[in-house]
Amino acid sequence: MVGVLAVQALASGDRLRGAGSEFDVGAVALLAAATVLAVLVRRAPAVGALGALGVTVLWYQACYVGGLITLPYLIAFYFLGASGNLRSQLLVAGFAVVLTAT
């Protein structure tokens, strides 16, 4: 997954500059955190998905452009859905709705 993110970052470097913040150390740190959380989701799906959600919110609050953050976010939520734990899924969904509404 780290390799895919690195290739995508290099391939879309020009598209990351423009209306939002530059692709800098902060963006790399957020991508690294999201990747770690996406790997963590195998052991703790709810924690990984909530963490990926938080990092994604931070990404857009920092005005970074580009869809690099969506890959670990989607992976985390896929594994949460595949875990079969309905209670965790509803907890994360409720938190996501509240976070989005605020």
Side-chain angles (χ1 to χ4, degrees):
M1 185 182 338
V2 174
V4 169
L5 286 174
V7 169
Q8 190 176 3
L10 291 173
S12 62
D14 292 337
R15 291 182 294 158
L16 290 171
R17 307 194 189 293
S21 296
E22 299 266 333
F23 190 73
D24 57 4
V25 175
V28 172
L30 287 173
L31 282 172
T35 303
V36 167
L37 289 165
V39 171
L40 174 71
V41 80
R42 295 285 303 212
R43 293 189 179 201
V47 173
L50 283 173
L53 176 65
V55 170
T56 303
V57 168
L58 288 175
W59 174 273
Y60 288 111
Q61 287 296 316
C63 297
Y64 291 117
V65 288
L68 289 175
I69 200 70
T70 58
L71 183 61
Y73 175 76
L74 291 174
I75 289 170
F77 272 80
Y78 171 79
F79 277 109
L80 175 66
S83 72
N85 188 345
L86 184 61
R87 186 177 204 164
S88 294
Q89 293 168 354
L90 290 175
L91 174 72
V92 172
F95 187 75
V97 167
V98 168
L99 185 65
T100 303
T102 39

